[in-house]
Amino acid sequence: MPLVNLVIVESPAKARTLKAYLGDGFRVEASVGHVRDLPRRGLGVDVERGFEPEYETIEGKGPVLKKLGTAARGADSILLATDPDREGEAIAFHIVEALSGGNHEFRRRFRRITFNEITKSAVLEAIDRPGEIDLPRIEAQQARRILDRLVGYKLSPLLWKKIKAGLSAGRVQSVAVRLLVERERQRRAFRSGTWWSLRAHLAADGRSFTADLATLEGVTIATGRDFDERTGRVKPRRKVVLLDEARAEALRAALADETFTVSELREKRSKRSPYPPFTTATLQQEANRKLNLGARETMRIAQALYEAGRITYMRTDSVTLSEAAIQAIRSRVERRYGAEYLSPQPRRYRTKSRSAQEAHEAIRPAGVEMPTATELGLAGRQKALYDLIWRRATATQMADARLRHLSVHVEAGDAQFRAKGKVIEFPGFFRAYVEGSDDPDTALEDREVALPDMREGQDLSCRKLESRRGETKPPARYTDAALVKELEADGIGRPSTYASIISTVLDRGYAVRQNKQLIPTFIAFAVTGLLEDHFPNLVDTGFTAEMEGALDEIARGKVDWRSYLEGFYNGSDGLEARLEDRQAAIDPREASTVRLGNLTPRVRIGRYGPFLEMEREGGRLTAPVPDGVAPADLSEEQALELLEKRAEGPDRLGEDPDSGEAIYIMDGRFGPYVQRGEAAAKGAKPKRASLPRNVRPEDLTLATALKLLSMPATLGEHPEDGEPVKVGIGRYGPYVVHRSDYRSLEDGDDPLGITFERAMALLAVPKRRGRRAAAEPLRTLGEHPEDGAPLAIYKGRYGPYVKHGRLNASLPKGVEPEDVTVPLALELLRKRRERDAAKQGTGRRGPARRKASGK
């Protein structure tokens, strides 16, 4: 029989690429991510036995392991070709553990191979040089996983008791949240400063340019950098002139008749060298700035490019390039741009970080051909991201850009104006790459500021003199790019974790993303405050960076992982002792109070979200904080107005002529609404209805309110079955409905004035959108072997899921839709069916009731 070499990878996409490179003697199978992990429920770590992890097979991976085991037993050699980082090493390790089952003879047949790019030459070279699994790397990954579990499992219940149920803490997540909270605190403490200046529109020999007021009587004019952001005033001991509007206007009038003369010309030349090639962090930052991609989306696209053999491994903190890559890039530069654009000597970059893995390369196009995105036939976001990587790598071997800077001083009376110009004399690497721009040619034009030729002593023509108001701006909130940059600079997290950190912060409600900004929520403030007061090490960037450094030392085999965990968890200063000490000391009322400066009312976290609270005249006023209000933007005036409105009670529009009950207009967390009758302490809630977008509370009449409260209102009977066609306003906006067949109203449709004919026209359009619309599957797997019904994967609110008829099953963490096979889908559906049956048999709280009744 011919030899069979089994190659195991973690991704079906990667498996398909390898199959194209390897011959008939190879069989390539995918584990579809991790196969074993700590249990989803419970600690899963035996802290009494040296922090021994209690691994179990991940739900749905039984058929995958069975298939891998069958293939392994029939193979002559087994090569583990998972990714070349700690997570890849861990996947390989757990595959061996799961398949060998303690059989040491069988275990010896497994060999480890790694490659930094999925090209034929790299893969074949790795197969010729197999090695062993790197156990110190496994221990580092395991220690990280256990640390995260200890912190999350032990701290999260404390947050449930002291602040709000359902909250979570995380070893790195909590530090990232604190960074967002600290920036929001700075924005809240910020006080704006205002200054005025003058701008002269000048011309030399008919060519126009502008110059700004720089000094007055030899003293510098105040600008934004001269202000204290905490007071909004000029910093002490700053020798500057602060102009207000009146003085700026007076100066403008005084200079109207003055002659503007060139008093000094300064010229200097500079060079700009290209940036290093991409690491994971810099790729995420630039993709966010240039392509508007979040960190998670960037990594998803990069993973697909890597597995297709288009780029090198995308989780790296190294900026080194192989000699073969350098020569390939230089050859491409010379062919595409010309020899004059080639750097005189090859550029070799070295990583400064001690934790960087120099065995990895920077992110670059795979292979030695350096094809462009167009030559590869890429499209969409894959094309955009690959092009970004291609340009950055290409620029590394290009010549410096040469620039000429010109500074012009213009005097008019006691005032001096300045203008600055810049000319790109030789673009060099700018031809391929300009940071922050996705179009280098356009960026070159934008970077040039041309000034006319002038000479000292030359009189200029002043065509216009205008006063201009300036105002200091608060510190910018973090974007994905800025947060990744900060985490990297602080030594927090590693290339494989940046995207997941941000995703976790967003998914767990500690921040929202608006216009690329990451805005912390009030809950983030409360959790951060509790951790700062009682567990300061866990949100300290220095302490967290030291933990990352210790994990790196474990990976190098220099630190024992069990000893490190022992020191972190046990002992007088360990996490367990700290938890026991602080449990009783934390006051839930204080912990659920958000500390905001410059605000008289308190913000507290309640069961239904943040609310305002204030004592007045022996009573207690409360009001919900409206959705969408950021902690830094909640002003004293707004908070007091919300409380006053709540104290005054709802505006009474009149009475319902049928029931005699009062009709009120009220403000809620989700906007204004109308209500019929009073809300009782217990019993049924009064009838309520949201206001349509085109109705303002101040314009609302009793007749309109009654019409809203009558919804869903019947417009007429459907001609086919006589069933009513109704119009209503729901959680997702106004709609029309006929027998559970819903259609959203379109822009311009008024739910208060829609006609039966218009409703019928909307119902006649095939359903394409909406919660109940038949969604398009992300991927169709095939037919179910039992009934022939389709098996497909859909996008859900909480992530992708597999669907068969009415039965849905979520994909396990780390499993992408393209990785799912029919056996895996059937296993997930079977497990879901068993859980549903168990719930129906006992009831969700059945065991607890039986125990209580027994007593």
Side-chain angles (χ1 to χ4, degrees):
M1 291 180 61
L3 289 174
V4 176
N5 300 287
L6 175 64
V7 180
I8 300 177
V9 297
E10 64 275 75
S11 155
K14 185 174 175 181
R16 288 191 293 271
T17 305
L18 261 64
K19 285 177 183 176
Y21 295 149
L22 302 175
D24 295 335
F26 288 87
R27 176 177 177 180
V28 186
E29 295 291 347
S31 68
V32 197
H34 282 273
V35 295
R36 297 200 314 168
D37 196 6
L38 298 176
R40 297 183 68 177
R41 288 183 172 82
L43 179 59
V45 178
D46 191 338
V47 296
E48 303 298 329
R49 291 197 310 118
F51 298 91
E52 191 66 29
E54 300 167 353
Y55 290 115
E56 64 179 25
T57 300
I58 294 173
E59 182 181 355
K61 290 303 178 72
V64 175
L65 285 173
K66 184 177 180 181
K67 182 179 181 181
L68 291 177
T70 301
R73 283 189 292 274
D76 297 289
S77 70
I78 308 165
L79 301 174
L80 302 163
T82 49
D83 287 345
D85 60 5
R86 291 178 196 168
E87 290 301 313
E89 208 75 27
I91 292 172
F93 171 79
H94 287 295
I95 289 172
V96 175
E97 292 294 304
L99 298 185
S100 64
N103 185 331
H104 296 289
E105 187 66 31
F106 185 54
R107 181 190 294 265
R108 281 197 285 268
R109 293 169 59 190
F110 290 86
R111 303 299 301 278
R112 178 82 167 107
I113 63 171
T114 59
F115 34 81
N116 192 52
E117 58 184 5
I118 306 178
T119 59
K120 187 171 184 177
S121 59
V123 172
L124 293 178
E125 182 180 350
I127 289 174
D128 288 339
R129 299 167 58 188
E132 303 298 328
I133 288 177
D134 189 335
L135 286 179
R137 273 180 139 189
I138 298 299
E139 292 171 350
Q141 188 274 345
Q142 188 165 262
R144 177 191 294 277
R145 190 77 183 89
I146 293 172
L147 276 173
D148 292 343
R149 178 58 65 94
L150 289 172
V151 173
Y153 189 80
K154 295 292 186 178
L155 267 183
S156 297
L158 180 70
L159 300 181
W160 304 345
K161 295 176 185 176
K162 305 299 183 179
I163 299 178
K164 184 184 177 184
L167 297 179
S168 68
R171 184 180 61 86
V172 179
Q173 152 204 325
S174 298
V175 181
V177 171
R178 188 192 185 196
L179 290 173
L180 300 181
V181 168
E182 285 182 332
R183 181 61 55 86
E184 196 74 1
R185 287 171 178 164
Q186 293 170 8
R187 288 177 64 89
R188 184 161 188 87
F190 172 80
R191 293 295 173 266
S192 179
T194 303
W195 75 93
W196 286 77
S197 185
L198 298 181
R199 171 166 289 181
H201 294 257
L202 306 171
D205 299 328
R207 291 185 59 195
S208 60
F209 67 100
T210 60
D212 293 322
L213 180 65
T215 65
L216 185 63
E217 297 179 349
V219 183
T220 303
I221 299 295
T223 57
R225 61 177 176 270
D226 298 307
F227 285 81
D228 187 330
E229 62 182 23
R230 294 166 297 180
T231 64
R233 300 187 180 129
V234 174
K235 296 174 183 176
R237 295 184 292 278
R238 287 271 181 160
K239 294 182 179 180
V240 293
V241 176
L242 178 61
L243 298 181
D244 56 18
E245 184 177 12
R247 192 173 177 188
E249 281 296 317
L251 181 61
R252 186 181 69 84
L255 294 176
D257 297 327
E258 292 287 347
T259 301
F260 286 75
T261 305
V262 177
S263 59
E264 185 179 4
L265 290 173
R266 293 180 183 175
E267 184 176 287
K268 70 173 184 178
R269 285 173 166 78
S270 67
K271 290 183 178 180
R272 286 282 307 278
S273 297
Y275 308 96
F278 279 133
T279 62
T280 301
T282 53
L283 176 63
Q284 290 175 3
Q285 292 164 37
E286 276 291 86
N288 187 241
R289 283 194 289 257
K290 291 187 174 185
L291 307 179
N292 201 26
L293 294 176
R296 178 163 54 183
E297 182 68 5
T298 298
M299 295 312 292
R300 187 190 68 78
I301 299 168
Q303 179 90 34
L305 288 171
Y306 165 69
E307 291 177 346
R310 305 305 191 194
I311 63 171
T312 53
Y313 192 55
M314 67 288 160
R315 294 187 182 93
T316 176
D317 45 16
S318 172
V319 294
T320 59
L321 292 170
S322 68
E323 288 302 314
I326 290 174
Q327 294 307 316
I329 294 170
R330 293 182 68 81
S331 176
R332 186 71 196 220
V333 169
E334 189 168 10
R335 293 197 312 270
R336 185 178 180 93
Y337 299 106
E340 68 273 20
Y341 281 92
L342 200 58
S343 61
Q345 299 295 327
R347 297 184 193 271
R348 294 177 178 84
Y349 297 88
R350 290 289 176 265
T351 308
K352 298 177 182 179
S353 171
R354 282 188 67 246
S355 63
Q357 303 173 60
E358 294 292 356
H360 290 178
E361 273 194 81
I363 304 170
R364 60 168 177 83
V368 294
E369 299 299 323
M370 287 294 293
T372 64
T374 302
E375 290 168 350
L376 289 173
L378 298 175
R381 290 184 168 183
Q382 282 198 11
K383 179 180 180 180
L385 191 65
Y386 179 88
D387 186 64
L388 193 66
I389 294 167
W390 187 94
R391 290 182 178 279
R392 180 85 164 216
T394 300
T396 63
Q397 301 304 315
M398 295 180 70
D400 292 339
R402 298 194 295 272
L403 299 90
R404 179 165 57 90
H405 306 268
L406 183 66
S407 177
V408 181
H409 295 207
V410 178
E411 291 187 355
D414 292 332
Q416 186 183 83
F417 292 76
R418 288 179 191 162
K420 291 183 178 181
K422 180 171 64 176
V423 176
I424 299 173
E425 295 186 322
F426 177 68
F429 75 93
F430 284 167
R431 283 287 307 277
Y433 189 87
V434 178
E435 192 167 55
S437 171
D438 57 359
D439 186 346
D441 293 330
T442 302
L444 289 178
E445 296 178 9
D446 293 342
R447 283 181 169 240
E448 287 198 318
V449 181
L451 293 177
D453 292 333
M454 287 174 276
R455 62 185 183 280
E456 292 184 1
Q458 179 180 355
D459 290 341
L460 305 173
S461 170
C462 182
R463 296 176 173 177
K464 181 182 177 182
L465 191 60
E466 60 176 334
S467 57
R468 294 165 60 87
R469 181 179 184 271
E471 186 176 9
T472 56
K473 302 296 181 185
R477 291 187 175 102
Y478 285 104
T479 60
D480 281 34
L483 184 57
V484 168
K485 185 176 183 179
E486 184 69 27
L487 291 171
E488 184 187 35
D490 291 338
I492 298 168
R494 288 298 180 260
S496 61
T497 63
Y498 298 133
S500 63
I501 291 169
I502 296 174
S503 297
T504 301
V505 170
L506 292 169
D507 294 344
R508 295 185 178 174
Y510 290 122
V512 294
R513 187 188 278 123
Q514 289 182 6
N515 299 323
K516 295 176 66 172
Q517 298 180 87
L518 298 172
I519 306 175
T521 60
F522 288 98
I523 289 177
F525 268 69
V527 170
T528 298
L530 183 149
L531 295 177
E532 287 174 331
D533 290 345
H534 302 282
F535 305 93
N537 278 353
L538 295 182
V539 287
D540 179 71
T541 53
F543 180 77
T544 306
E546 288 176 7
M547 293 177 74
E548 297 288 354
L551 291 171
D552 291 337
E553 291 298 290
I554 293 171
R556 296 186 184 102
K558 296 182 179 180
V559 172
D560 178 69
W561 70 278
R562 295 181 193 271
S563 300
Y564 180 75
L565 291 175
E566 178 74 26
F568 171 79
Y569 187 73
N570 292 322
S572 58
D573 294 327
L575 177 63
E576 186 176 37
R578 187 70 179 169
L579 278 164
E580 291 178 2
D581 178 60
R582 304 313 299 165
Q583 282 274 6
I586 300 174
D587 176 19
R589 183 174 180 82
E590 180 183 339
S592 63
T593 301
V594 177
R595 297 192 291 264
L596 293 178
N598 311 306
L599 193 69
T600 303
R602 295 179 295 276
V603 176
R604 297 194 58 218
I605 305 301
R607 182 178 179 184
Y608 301 107
F611 65 92
L612 293 160
E613 178 186 69
M614 187 173 72
E615 283 76 32
R616 190 172 70 179
E617 299 176 359
R620 175 173 172 263
L621 299 180
T622 64
V625 177
D627 267 13
V629 175
D633 300 335
L634 180 62
S635 66
E636 176 87 354
E637 296 75 19
Q638 183 183 12
L640 293 175
E641 182 182 352
L642 289 168
L643 288 167
E644 287 296 333
K645 279 189 175 182
R646 192 67 175 237
E648 292 169 0
D651 292 335
R652 192 172 186 274
L653 294 173
E655 292 184 356
D656 185 329
D658 295 330
S659 66
E661 293 177 293
I663 305 297
Y664 299 105
I665 173 70
M666 308 181 77
D667 266 322
R669 181 181 172 191
F670 301 106
Y673 63 94
V674 290
Q675 175 177 301
R676 180 193 292 124
E678 305 285 349
K682 293 183 179 180
K685 291 183 179 180
K687 174 72 174 179
R688 293 170 177 169
S690 298
L691 266 61
R693 291 181 180 179
N694 61 339
V695 176
R696 298 186 303 174
E698 57 268 28
D699 298 334
L700 187 67
T701 63
L702 177 61
T704 301
L706 291 171
K707 195 167 184 179
L708 289 170
L709 290 166
S710 70
M711 291 185 176
T714 299
L715 298 172
E717 295 181 354
H718 199 285
E720 293 180 3
D721 55 15
E723 293 292 329
V725 173
K726 297 181 178 182
V727 61
I729 300 176
R731 181 180 178 186
Y732 298 100
Y735 63 87
V736 291
V737 59
H738 165 246
R739 295 185 62 179
S740 300
D741 185 18
Y742 289 81
R743 296 291 187 280
S744 295
L745 267 59
E746 297 178 355
D747 291 342
D749 287 328
D750 181 3
L752 296 171
I754 190 170
T755 64
F756 175 73
E757 290 73 21
R758 174 58 180 159
M760 290 297 296
L762 289 170
L763 290 168
V765 177
K767 187 181 289 187
R768 294 181 182 176
R769 295 191 298 264
R771 292 186 75 205
R772 296 181 182 237
E776 288 293 324
L778 294 174
R779 182 172 166 230
T780 301
L781 300 174
E783 296 182 351
H784 196 287
E786 294 179 4
D787 58 11
L791 277 173
I793 301 173
Y794 291 83
K795 181 180 180 181
R797 182 180 180 187
Y798 302 105
Y801 63 93
V802 62
K803 182 178 181 64
H804 169 239
R806 293 189 175 185
L807 185 63
N808 301 335
S810 298
L811 300 192
K813 181 180 178 181
V815 176
E816 297 295 332
E818 56 268 23
D819 297 337
V820 178
T821 60
V822 171
L824 175 58
L826 295 175
E827 176 74 3
L828 293 173
L829 291 167
R830 182 185 66 79
K831 292 280 183 102
R832 177 57 189 264
R833 193 178 296 108
E834 290 175 354
R835 286 200 304 272
D836 291 348
K839 288 178 183 177
Q840 291 173 4
T842 61
R844 294 184 70 87
R845 300 181 63 180
R849 286 199 297 268
R850 286 196 295 274
K851 185 175 181 180
S853 62
K855 289 183 180 180

